[in-house]
Amino acid sequence: MESKIRVTVWNEFRHEKEGGAAQKVYPNGLHAVIKEFLDKNDDMEVRLAALDDPDQGLPDEVLNNTDVLLWWGHCHHWEVNDELVEKVRQRVYREGMGFIPLHSGHHSKPFKAIVGCTGDLEWGDGVKEVVWNLNPSHPIAAGIPKAFELPVEELYSEPFFVPQPDQLVFGSWFEQGNIFRSGICYFRGLGKIFYFQPGHEEFPSFYNEYVQKIITNAVRWAKPVNRVIKDECPYVGTGLFDKTHEENNI
Amino acid sequence: MESKIRVTVWNEFRHEKEGGAAQKVYPNGLHAVIKEFLDKNDDMEVRLAALDDPDQGLPDEVLNNTDVLLWWGHCHHWEVNDELVEKVRQRVYREGMGFIPLHSGHHSKPFKAIVGCTGDLEWGDGVKEVVWNLNPSHPIAAGIPKAFELPVEELYSEPFFVPQPDQLVFGSWFEQGNIFRSGICYFRGLGKIFYFQPGHEEFPSFYNEYVQKIITNAVRWAKPVNRVIKDECPYVGTGLFDKTHEENNI
Amino acid sequence: MESKIRVTVWNEFRHEKEGGAAQKVYPNGLHAVIKEFLDKNDDMEVRLAALDDPDQGLPDEVLNNTDVLLWWGHCHHWEVNDELVEKVRQRVYREGMGFIPLHSGHHSKPFKAIVGCTGDLEWGDGVKEVVWNLNPSHPIAAGIPKAFELPVEELYSEPFFVPQPDQLVFGSWFEQGNIFRSGICYFRGLGKIFYFQPGHEEFPSFYNEYVQKIITNAVRWAKPVNRVIKDECPYVGTGLFDKTHEENNI
Amino acid sequence: MESKIRVTVWNEFRHEKEGGAAQKVYPNGLHAVIKEFLDKNDDMEVRLAALDDPDQGLPDEVLNNTDVLLWWGHCHHWEVNDELVEKVRQRVYREGMGFIPLHSGHHSKPFKAIVGCTGDLEWGDGVKEVVWNLNPSHPIAAGIPKAFELPVEELYSEPFFVPQPDQLVFGSWFEQGNIFRSGICYFRGLGKIFYFQPGHEEFPSFYNEYVQKIITNAVRWAKPVNRVIKDECPYVGTGLFDKTHEENNI
């Protein structure tokens, strides 16, 4: 952990500017609250990005200097440029950038493109949620109890149309009768992905100590391990970045 | 599915003889109810076995002619002979017998020995359970809806100390605030294992149409695929049944 | 297995018409050879489709009546219409169609879109291959020995940029010093996917008894289990096909 | 990584004292070589243990102060006391101790008991091995190239009778025509397990820079994440250490 982890927190950042509950709970945007608790860690340097920023918040110089990208989007997924989505996907696959979609990020274009899914799920109004720790030996579960309660969160429910997670770390109970795989890990190319469900814009989950701990752990888990794979082996054929791959628009 | 699947339903079969709720719900033993619904399938031939039968219900001629073994035990796990446990484990690993522990079978000696776990979990009194279908593309989920309800089942809860399932098919919600990985698959050696949680002796879950469908699907899924692996390859070294393995009591 | 499995074998079908080795080995196209061995099974009804057929071989009436789609493509992936790719993906995810990409299908648009990957790998000229059975308890491995040899196949090598398989069934050794995860399973939405590596157009692998057995097993494994998920649960929120999902072009 | 990782390297340590190749390659025992390269890391404090030490090298005060236990055994697995095996298993499951069996450790009593398997495999004489990096995004693969060569290692081959790994990190090619899942991860209870195949007593693999890097990475990956799971949840029933569990000799 010599060099700092360069974290970018991307937020659609529309709800919080439209007044109402979202603005009350997150007056400066929920990404600002995430930055605030991540900033407490000496091994991270955190910057903010939003949909309405130039280049939708992710010009090349930002994206290419991001080790871990957190992504919160909800009603405006469709506004995100496909070119940007592809850049994000390529950076995860080929350069190992960590990607952490939060809450409605299950339907974000990058998440669906990176892990390969529809991201569909069932949902309902806010109810009590209990988050259960299904893999206490996982780094993202460090310091997390058997279970913790969120007094009110948006109901997310199975069936959740995602690939079977490479690692299932958290599962949630919702008052109405639903369950949800709420903390799931994927490996893709050189990159790691962690989706985490709590975080509706109108509820204070991002102030919860365990939600903060989980996101903090996830940033460390998701940081790139191999930015480039050395190729010293006499046995390999054509390279990973072989032209025909690009032509095949991989 | 040319030849029939030879199924043995093993039951501790003590509660149902002690009167009380268990006897009312399952007068002839819960294994008899399981046999009854499995018998409706032309491709299965089903026999019963119980802890108090000679050789604890599983003499060699029975075990060696069983393709899929269902196992229901609760308070008398410790009475099962370790020699029998090892025979069951070897038949799963080396001959591909399917093994389907039900309900409290999570703590049965064969389950713990076969998959490698403590099987520990948390539990409580009977409450409402909702079983969710987490993998609708899995053969064991054939014909199962998104979710179905059991009016009352014994509360089983995470943390459930089992290996991360090779396939997570069902997850359950319990009224009190708990969730549980209630239908999980493992591959071990030549054999397949499916643990399914519903089935407390005092509750009528084994009469539920979906519980019956799931157990029926599981029997077909768990039947042996390769009873022996042909070895036509010039590259293999010492064989699978190499003596030193036996000496190492594998 | 009451109703027959409706199988469509899609082939780019260009090499075999251009003369040379491909035409010698597969004069009527390699898809014709696949159809020939699948036709021996009473439980399958098989049809052929090719890139140069009307609607690229997959008009709606064909796609919508296909239970399992086999896909062989190589140099013309880019010619496949994106609209068709999306239709294939939706049918796998939402209607449970099985999808079996063969050989260079690792780079086909549908495979990359369905499982979420670049599909990149390393490759080289034809060498001896040994296919190893890594999961003898898996239905696709039924009747397959510990290992079998292909005298010459195109060298495919790790690193293979695919999601960690939900099930790793086969792995291969290549003479030059390479290995490859050559038989891998994925679950996506309601559908199942099996990628299998042997099958270069100039080599006779599709005539190999074990390659034929594996593909035959895979078709049965991949057939839809739940074409629709019944929704009898009082706990679900908005439905799987909710409009906003379509708008989000899921 | 505030407090140091307390590492114990356990070695059967018989071959190296019997003269011959093993003594020439590892005059002070292979565990001494492992300690030597681990000692270069400020975040580790390493001690040695051997089968012929008092209490077989692992008295309670040592075991209870070990965060990560490396285990090398070969011909004397059967001499290890079952009581000690059970203590190791309990410490992994219940206190999160990392466990890293090396080479012939696939047949060690603790490995088989902890992950649940026979550990059977095929083997042969020393040949050239190529280790392939199958998951470059995994922490244990940090700094490891696509592939690296070991001029001579004992041939280990599939079929390898272990549970499907929770994470498959390395796979190996052997000159004769064999492949092997040579670097595999498991989660069990609170503990993490990594099995790594290179390391025959007569070959110098433990001097290889990448073997050293992999073992070093594995120690960090395997260190305990949660030594105890806090239980602040109002929803749990009986505790993890419930008496009846002990009686059931879990």
Side-chain angles (χ1 to χ4, degrees):
Chain A
M1 290 204 203
E2 44 299 332
S3 67
K4 292 197 175 211
I5 307 171
R6 300 165 300 171
V7 182
T8 301
V9 185
W10 190 94
N11 182 8
E12 199 173 272
F13 197 29
R14 294 270 178 92
H15 300 287
E16 303 97 318
K17 292 183 291 192
E18 291 160 356
Q23 193 168 63
K24 282 192 187 53
V25 181
Y26 299 108
N28 304 317
L30 50 84
H31 55 335
V33 172
I34 294 170
K35 182 184 193 313
E36 200 179 331
F37 67 76
L38 289 180
D39 276 335
K40 293 175 186 156
N41 302 290
D42 296 340
D43 58 340
M44 303 182 189
E45 100 197 345
V46 186
R47 90 181 97 191
L48 299 177
L51 178 60
D52 295 327
D53 293 346
D55 301 307
Q56 303 197 318
L58 293 172
D60 291 354
E61 63 271 27
V62 172
L63 188 60
N64 297 338
N65 288 287
T66 296
D67 295 322
V68 179
L69 176 62
L70 283 73
W71 191 282
W72 194 100
H74 185 196
C75 297
H76 302 275
H77 295 312
W78 60 275
E79 292 185 39
V80 177
N81 298 328
D82 291 331
E83 299 64 32
L84 177 58
V85 172
E86 184 56 17
K87 281 184 191 173
V88 170
R89 191 175 79 111
Q90 291 296 330
R91 185 155 166 84
V92 170
Y93 282 3
R94 301 195 187 279
E95 293 164 79
M97 181 178 73
F99 181 67
I100 301 177
L102 299 166
H103 193 56
S104 300
H106 69 91
H107 259 171
S108 64
K109 287 180 178 181
F111 178 65
K112 294 184 293 178
I114 290 166
V115 309
C117 64
T118 64
D120 289 355
L121 49 71
E122 316 266 343
W123 71 85
D125 294 338
V127 294
K128 184 169 72 179
E129 172 176 3
V130 182
V131 180
W132 286 87
N133 181 349
L134 302 183
N135 188 346
S137 67
H138 196 285
I140 298 179
I144 304 304
K146 285 180 182 179
F148 63 92
E149 194 172 319
L150 297 171
V152 58
E153 246 307 338
E154 189 175 33
L155 187 155
Y156 270 24
S157 175
E158 299 288 341
F160 186 19
F161 282 78
V162 285
Q164 295 226 10
D166 290 329
Q167 302 168 329
L168 174 62
V169 186
F170 301 106
S172 289
W173 175 97
F174 290 92
E175 205 163 17
Q176 192 190 340
N178 303 72
I179 66 172
F180 190 69
R181 288 167 289 177
S182 50
I184 55 182
C185 299
Y186 296 98
F187 299 91
R188 289 293 189 271
L190 298 188
K192 294 199 279 302
I193 297 93
F194 177 67
Y195 168 77
F196 190 50
Q197 155 268 323
H200 184 60
E201 68 272 9
E202 299 184 327
F203 304 133
S205 297
F206 289 119
Y207 296 102
N208 177 283
E209 65 168 315
Y210 293 126
V211 169
Q212 293 186 357
K213 178 72 172 158
I214 288 167
I215 293 171
T216 304
N217 290 340
V219 166
R220 292 194 178 112
W221 172 83
K223 75 180 207 292
V225 150
N226 280 321
R227 285 158 203 284
V228 178
I229 325 180
K230 280 176 292 175
D231 185 354
E232 304 173 339
C233 175
Y235 304 111
V236 291
T238 60
L240 179 59
F241 300 99
D242 180 82
K243 268 279 167 299
T244 65
H245 295 194
E246 305 310 328
E247 286 155 15
N248 288 335
N249 56 56
I250 291 151
Chain B
M1 293 204 199
E2 45 298 330
S3 67
K4 294 197 172 210
I5 307 171
R6 300 166 301 171
V7 182
T8 301
V9 185
W10 189 95
N11 183 8
E12 198 173 273
F13 196 28
R14 294 268 178 92
H15 299 287
E16 303 98 318
K17 292 184 290 190
E18 291 161 355
Q23 192 167 66
K24 282 195 187 53
V25 181
Y26 300 108
N28 304 316
L30 52 83
H31 55 335
V33 173
I34 294 171
K35 182 184 193 312
E36 199 180 333
F37 67 75
L38 289 179
D39 275 336
K40 294 176 186 154
N41 302 290
D42 297 342
D43 59 337
M44 301 181 189
E45 99 198 348
V46 186
R47 90 182 97 191
L48 300 177
L51 178 60
D52 296 327
D53 293 348
D55 301 306
Q56 304 196 317
L58 292 172
D60 292 354
E61 63 270 28
V62 172
L63 187 60
N64 297 339
N65 288 287
T66 296
D67 296 322
V68 179
L69 177 62
L70 284 72
W71 190 281
W72 194 101
H74 185 195
C75 297
H76 301 276
H77 295 312
W78 59 276
E79 291 185 40
V80 177
N81 297 329
D82 291 331
E83 299 65 30
L84 177 59
V85 172
E86 184 57 17
K87 281 183 190 175
V88 169
R89 191 176 80 112
Q90 291 296 332
R91 185 156 166 82
V92 170
Y93 282 2
R94 300 195 189 280
E95 295 164 78
M97 181 177 75
F99 182 67
I100 301 176
L102 298 167
H103 192 57
S104 300
H106 70 91
H107 259 171
S108 64
K109 288 180 178 179
F111 178 66
K112 293 184 293 179
I114 289 166
V115 308
C117 64
T118 64
D120 288 355
L121 48 73
E122 315 267 342
W123 71 84
D125 293 338
V127 294
K128 183 170 73 179
E129 173 176 3
V130 182
V131 180
W132 287 86
N133 181 349
L134 301 183
N135 188 346
S137 67
H138 196 284
I140 296 179
I144 304 304
K146 286 182 181 177
F148 64 92
E149 194 171 319
L150 297 171
V152 58
E153 245 309 339
E154 188 175 33
L155 187 157
Y156 270 24
S157 174
E158 298 288 342
F160 185 20
F161 282 78
V162 285
Q164 296 225 10
D166 291 328
Q167 301 167 330
L168 175 62
V169 187
F170 302 105
S172 289
W173 175 98
F174 290 91
E175 205 164 15
Q176 192 190 339
N178 302 73
I179 66 172
F180 191 68
R181 288 166 289 177
S182 51
I184 54 181
C185 299
Y186 296 97
F187 298 91
R188 288 295 186 271
L190 298 187
K192 294 199 279 302
I193 297 94
F194 177 67
Y195 168 77
F196 190 51
Q197 155 269 323
H200 184 61
E201 68 273 9
E202 299 185 327
F203 303 133
S205 297
F206 288 118
Y207 296 103
N208 177 283
E209 66 168 312
Y210 293 125
V211 169
Q212 293 186 357
K213 178 71 172 159
I214 287 166
I215 293 172
T216 304
N217 290 339
V219 166
R220 292 194 178 111
W221 172 82
K223 75 179 205 293
V225 149
N226 281 321
R227 284 160 203 282
V228 180
I229 326 180
K230 279 178 292 175
D231 184 353
E232 303 174 339
C233 176
Y235 304 112
V236 292
T238 61
L240 178 61
F241 300 98
D242 180 82
K243 266 277 168 301
T244 64
H245 295 194
E246 305 309 329
E247 288 155 13
N248 288 335
N249 58 57
I250 290 150
Chain C
M1 292 200 200
E2 44 299 331
S3 67
K4 293 196 174 213
I5 308 171
R6 300 165 300 170
V7 182
T8 301
V9 186
W10 190 94
N11 183 7
E12 200 174 270
F13 197 28
R14 294 269 178 92
H15 300 287
E16 303 97 317
K17 292 183 291 190
E18 291 160 356
Q23 192 168 64
K24 282 193 188 52
V25 181
Y26 299 107
N28 305 316
L30 51 83
H31 55 335
V33 172
I34 294 170
K35 183 184 191 314
E36 200 178 332
F37 67 75
L38 289 180
D39 276 335
K40 293 176 186 155
N41 302 290
D42 297 341
D43 58 340
M44 302 182 188
E45 100 199 345
V46 186
R47 90 182 99 191
L48 299 177
L51 178 60
D52 295 328
D53 293 347
D55 302 306
Q56 303 196 320
L58 294 172
D60 291 355
E61 63 271 27
V62 172
L63 188 60
N64 297 339
N65 289 287
T66 296
D67 296 321
V68 178
L69 177 63
L70 283 72
W71 190 281
W72 194 101
H74 185 193
C75 297
H76 302 276
H77 296 312
W78 59 275
E79 291 185 39
V80 177
N81 297 328
D82 291 332
E83 299 64 29
L84 177 57
V85 172
E86 185 55 20
K87 281 183 189 175
V88 169
R89 192 176 80 110
Q90 291 295 331
R91 185 153 167 83
V92 170
Y93 282 2
R94 300 194 188 281
E95 293 164 80
M97 182 177 73
F99 181 67
I100 302 177
L102 298 167
H103 192 56
S104 299
H106 70 92
H107 259 170
S108 63
K109 288 180 177 180
F111 178 65
K112 294 184 294 180
I114 290 166
V115 308
C117 64
T118 63
D120 288 355
L121 48 72
E122 316 267 344
W123 69 84
D125 293 337
V127 294
K128 184 171 72 179
E129 173 176 3
V130 182
V131 180
W132 287 86
N133 181 350
L134 302 183
N135 188 345
S137 67
H138 196 284
I140 297 180
I144 304 304
K146 286 182 182 178
F148 63 92
E149 193 171 318
L150 297 171
V152 59
E153 246 307 340
E154 189 175 32
L155 188 156
Y156 270 24
S157 175
E158 298 289 342
F160 185 20
F161 282 78
V162 285
Q164 295 225 9
D166 291 328
Q167 302 166 329
L168 175 62
V169 186
F170 302 106
S172 290
W173 175 98
F174 291 91
E175 204 163 18
Q176 193 191 337
N178 303 73
I179 65 173
F180 191 69
R181 288 166 290 175
S182 50
I184 54 182
C185 299
Y186 296 97
F187 298 92
R188 289 294 186 271
L190 298 187
K192 295 200 278 301
I193 298 93
F194 178 66
Y195 168 77
F196 190 51
Q197 155 268 322
H200 184 61
E201 68 273 7
E202 299 184 327
F203 303 133
S205 297
F206 289 118
Y207 295 103
N208 176 284
E209 67 168 312
Y210 294 125
V211 169
Q212 293 186 356
K213 177 72 172 159
I214 287 166
I215 293 172
T216 304
N217 290 340
V219 167
R220 292 193 178 113
W221 172 82
K223 75 181 207 292
V225 150
N226 281 320
R227 285 159 203 282
V228 180
I229 326 181
K230 279 177 293 175
D231 184 354
E232 303 174 339
C233 176
Y235 304 110
V236 292
T238 60
L240 178 60
F241 301 97
D242 180 82
K243 266 279 168 301
T244 63
H245 293 196
E246 304 309 330
E247 287 156 13
N248 289 336
N249 57 56
I250 290 150
Chain D
M1 292 205 202
E2 44 300 329
S3 68
K4 293 197 175 212
I5 308 171
R6 300 166 300 172
V7 182
T8 301
V9 185
W10 190 94
N11 183 8
E12 199 173 272
F13 197 28
R14 295 269 178 92
H15 299 287
E16 303 98 318
K17 292 183 291 191
E18 291 159 355
Q23 192 167 65
K24 282 194 188 50
V25 182
Y26 299 108
N28 304 316
L30 51 84
H31 54 336
V33 173
I34 294 171
K35 182 184 193 312
E36 199 179 331
F37 67 74
L38 290 179
D39 275 336
K40 293 174 186 157
N41 302 290
D42 295 342
D43 58 340
M44 303 183 188
E45 101 198 346
V46 186
R47 90 182 98 189
L48 299 178
L51 177 61
D52 296 326
D53 293 347
D55 301 307
Q56 302 197 320
L58 293 172
D60 291 356
E61 62 271 28
V62 172
L63 188 60
N64 297 337
N65 289 287
T66 295
D67 296 322
V68 179
L69 176 63
L70 283 71
W71 191 281
W72 194 101
H74 184 195
C75 298
H76 301 275
H77 296 313
W78 59 276
E79 291 184 39
V80 177
N81 297 328
D82 290 331
E83 300 62 32
L84 176 58
V85 172
E86 185 55 19
K87 281 184 190 173
V88 169
R89 191 175 80 110
Q90 291 295 331
R91 184 154 167 82
V92 170
Y93 282 3
R94 300 195 187 280
E95 294 164 78
M97 181 178 74
F99 182 68
I100 301 177
L102 298 166
H103 193 56
S104 299
H106 70 90
H107 259 170
S108 64
K109 288 179 176 181
F111 178 65
K112 293 184 295 179
I114 289 166
V115 309
C117 64
T118 64
D120 289 354
L121 49 73
E122 315 266 344
W123 71 85
D125 293 337
V127 294
K128 184 170 73 179
E129 172 176 4
V130 182
V131 180
W132 286 87
N133 182 349
L134 302 183
N135 188 345
S137 67
H138 196 285
I140 298 180
I144 304 305
K146 287 181 181 178
F148 63 93
E149 194 171 318
L150 297 171
V152 58
E153 246 307 340
E154 189 175 33
L155 187 156
Y156 270 24
S157 176
E158 299 287 342
F160 186 20
F161 282 79
V162 285
Q164 295 225 12
D166 290 329
Q167 301 167 330
L168 175 62
V169 186
F170 302 106
S172 290
W173 175 98
F174 291 91
E175 204 162 17
Q176 193 190 338
N178 303 73
I179 66 172
F180 191 69
R181 288 168 289 177
S182 50
I184 56 182
C185 298
Y186 297 97
F187 298 90
R188 290 295 187 268
L190 298 187
K192 294 199 280 301
I193 298 93
F194 177 67
Y195 168 77
F196 189 51
Q197 155 268 322
H200 184 61
E201 68 272 9
E202 299 183 328
F203 304 133
S205 297
F206 288 119
Y207 296 102
N208 176 284
E209 67 168 312
Y210 293 125
V211 169
Q212 293 185 356
K213 179 71 171 158
I214 287 167
I215 293 172
T216 304
N217 290 339
V219 166
R220 293 194 177 112
W221 172 83
K223 75 180 208 293
V225 149
N226 281 320
R227 285 157 202 284
V228 180
I229 325 180
K230 277 178 293 174
D231 184 353
E232 304 173 338
C233 175
Y235 304 111
V236 290
T238 60
L240 178 59
F241 300 98
D242 180 82
K243 265 278 167 302
T244 64
H245 295 193
E246 305 311 327
E247 287 156 15
N248 289 334
N249 57 58
I250 292 150

